[in-house]
Every structure is written in C-alpha cells, then in structure tokens.
Amino acid sequence: MAEAEMALPDTQGAIKFHHLDLSTVDGARRSAEEFKKLEGRLDIVVANAGVSMLAQNELSQDGYERMFATNHLGHFVFLTTLLGWESMFCWENLLKQTSKLHGEARIVLTSSIGYQSATGIDYSALTQVCPRDGGSVWDVIPAFVRYGNSKLANIYFTIELDRRLREDGYSNVYCNSCHPGFAGATNLGHGGFKAWGGAWAESMIRLLMKPLNSVEDASKTQTYLAASAQIRQQGIRGQYWVPVWSWRQRYLRCRAEELTGLAKDEEEQKKLWVFSERAMDIGKGS
C-alpha cells in the first residue's frame, strides 16, 4: 500500500486494501460480500489475478485443478456475488446498481494468448490428482495446456456473462477480456517452474522473458478496456482484445481479435457457467 501511494501521490488515502483469496470458493464469496457491506458504488472491476505452471500433484481446497480454481472459478464466484444474481435487493446488486445510477460499469477479465494452447475443458480431469506430476521436465507441456484451458475459461466466462447481463437489461455493463502481453518482471508462475528442473530453470525462463514487455505496457490494454470512452461510444462488449507491439516490443495500441473456433463455442460457454454455478453451490456447504 505504501509503495502504491508513493507511486501515485495524488491518491493518498484513496487506495484501500481489500482481502481476496481467489483460490477458494468461500474466500472469493466472503470477500465480495464484505466489499458490498463497505462500498455503495463499484464502477470498474479488472480481474487481473492469476497463477500459472502449477503441477497437478495436489488440488485446491475445494478439490479442483489449482489454475482453474484461481484463474476462473475464484473470479466467477467473486464477480457473480458482486453482481448479486442471487438477490433482487438493490444494495446487493452493486455493479448493476452502479450502472443504473451512474450510466455504466466495466468488467475486464485478463485472459492470455495462451488460451490458444487449450484443448478444451475436461471437467472430469479437473478433480483428478496426479501424484507424480511436476517430477519431470516434460510435465511442463500438460501444465501449459491446463493453463491455456483456464485462460479459455476466462473468455467463455466473459462472453456468457455479457450475454446474461444484456438479457437481464444491463447493456451498460461492458464486459470484455484481453491478452495483456508478456510481462517477464511479474511474479506470474513464480515457484511453478521449480517443479521442472529446480530454481535454475525458473531463473533461466525469467531471464529469457525479461526483454519482452514492460509491466507498464502489459497493463495498457486492460486500462483501455476499463477506462476508454470509446468502449461505451462504440458499444464494445463480449470481445477479446490484444496489444499491438512495435518491432522493439513497445506498446503501440490495442485492438479486438477474432477468437478461435473453440473459444467461440456457445455450448461450451454455457456448460462452463452451469459447472461453475454448481461448484459455487457445493462450496457453500464447505
């Protein structure tokens, strides 16, 4: 918090810490419910948290593959609780109420170009432990596929959430997803690479990624989707955006990109929503 306020001196006292554990259904729900008690307005949510390259030698607290649990399910629970789909009381429909009273609200889900490595979500595999996973350097390949599936889930969720919002009469809640870029200086994947070759492998991968995109540049596409007036003016919703880079890997602009056939599968989008709702209901009893 102190570092954030030092970097943004004009926001002194305006930045607040709010605890959110996306790795568990109960943690995500409790965080959203607590936020609704504390705040009466929410204009923008950027669902930017994530993990990568985790072995499947253990599952999440709720019994799911850990990248899927954090990258998708936690965000699903947090956002749908903020949207108050389970209640018609206006003070529980925080994002919807903000859009009605103040003209609009924004939701941005950070996906990844890694979704293109997805093979499709195998729901039965999400609950299976693989005790020896992570013991071989070759295990990095299925780990990246699982990561891609979790990022595919972000896109499915974005499109289905947008569809349901519009059907509910909230066309001024603009929901989009994006690929941010390759920010090698972040902690994404920290610790996960060590399962495949030790600390030296992680250090080598981070060294190779370092010359790619700066953290600042890798945040600009999310910022555009969250704050640009053009999103409202052009009615941009349910889309997937990517940054455009110069030959020196400097940010130039961002644009919408056509999704793969797998990502555009409407039945799979609906299937994920139903699965996530059931996982959310099961999590209530834990």
Side-chain angles (χ1 to χ4, degrees):
M1 290 298 299
E3 290 181 6
E5 290 184 338
M6 286 178 62
L8 302 166
D10 293 338
T11 64
Q12 293 260 341
I15 301 176
K16 300 177 183 178
F17 171 80
H18 183 79
H19 181 74
L20 169 59
D21 179 3
L22 288 166
S23 68
T24 70
V25 168
D26 186 58
R29 181 190 294 105
R30 282 191 287 108
S31 179
E33 289 174 346
E34 184 63 24
F35 188 89
K36 289 191 292 185
K37 293 176 184 176
L38 296 172
E39 304 293 339
R41 175 175 177 175
L42 181 58
D43 296 270
I44 300 167
V45 177
V46 179
N48 193 62
V51 295
S52 73
M53 307 310 292
L54 299 181
Q56 201 167 343
N57 54 3
E58 60 179 301
L59 300 177
S60 73
Q61 179 179 305
D62 299 296
Y64 300 104
E65 191 276 320
R66 290 180 293 165
M67 286 185 279
F68 177 86
T70 300
N71 296 352
H72 165 67
L73 192 55
H75 287 114
F76 179 92
V77 174
F78 184 68
L79 283 167
T80 54
T81 303
L82 286 175
L83 286 161
W85 249 298
E86 298 179 345
S87 173
M88 294 306 295
F89 294 112
C90 64
W91 59 85
E92 294 188 351
N93 293 298
L94 190 54
L95 276 164
K96 295 177 181 178
Q97 193 66 12
T98 298
S99 71
K100 279 197 169 184
L101 293 177
H102 304 285
E104 65 171 310
R106 306 275 180 97
I107 300 171
V108 182
L109 284 105
T110 303
S111 180
S112 167
I113 196 173
Y115 91 89
Q116 295 178 2
S117 71
T119 55
I121 301 171
D122 181 347
Y123 293 95
S124 62
L126 289 176
T127 57
Q128 294 178 2
V129 180
C130 304
R132 296 185 179 181
D133 189 50
S136 165
V137 68
W138 298 109
D139 291 336
V140 73
I141 298 172
F144 191 70
V145 172
R146 292 196 303 273
Y147 174 72
N149 285 337
S150 76
K151 295 287 101 179
L152 175 66
N154 291 149
I155 294 172
Y156 282 167
F157 178 37
T158 301
I159 297 171
E160 185 64 12
L161 176 59
D162 173 68
R163 185 185 68 79
R164 288 172 180 256
L165 284 167
R166 286 186 286 110
E167 285 183 355
D168 232 13
Y170 292 93
S171 59
N172 55 348
V173 179
Y174 298 91
C175 185
N176 294 285
S177 65
C178 70
H179 165 63
F182 299 98
T186 70
N187 284 327
L188 183 65
H190 180 70
F193 297 114
K194 291 179 182 177
W196 300 280
W200 71 268
E202 181 167 8
S203 299
M204 182 61 67
I205 290 170
R206 294 199 177 282
L207 182 64
L208 292 172
M209 289 181 68
K210 194 171 182 180
L212 296 179
N213 311 132
S214 69
V215 173
E216 180 181 4
D217 277 352
S219 68
K220 288 179 179 177
T221 302
Q222 297 97 303
T223 303
Y224 177 85
L225 293 172
S228 173
Q230 293 183 20
I231 302 301
R232 181 186 67 255
Q233 293 166 358
Q234 299 178 21
I236 296 170
R237 55 171 58 86
Q239 295 186 12
Y240 171 73
W241 282 59
V242 297
V244 177
W245 307 100
S246 71
W247 66 273
R248 297 179 63 188
Q249 290 299 298
R250 299 294 184 266
Y251 187 92
L252 298 176
R253 62 187 184 280
C254 58
R255 60 175 177 81
E257 182 172 274
E258 183 79 9
L259 291 166
T260 63
L262 180 61
K264 291 189 287 188
D265 190 321
E266 292 184 14
E267 290 304 313
E268 287 298 320
Q269 294 159 12
K270 293 178 172 60
K271 184 177 180 180
L272 175 66
W273 186 283
V274 171
F275 178 90
S276 303
E277 280 188 323
R278 288 174 180 167
M280 187 173 175
D281 287 339
I282 293 170
K284 287 179 183 177
S286 61

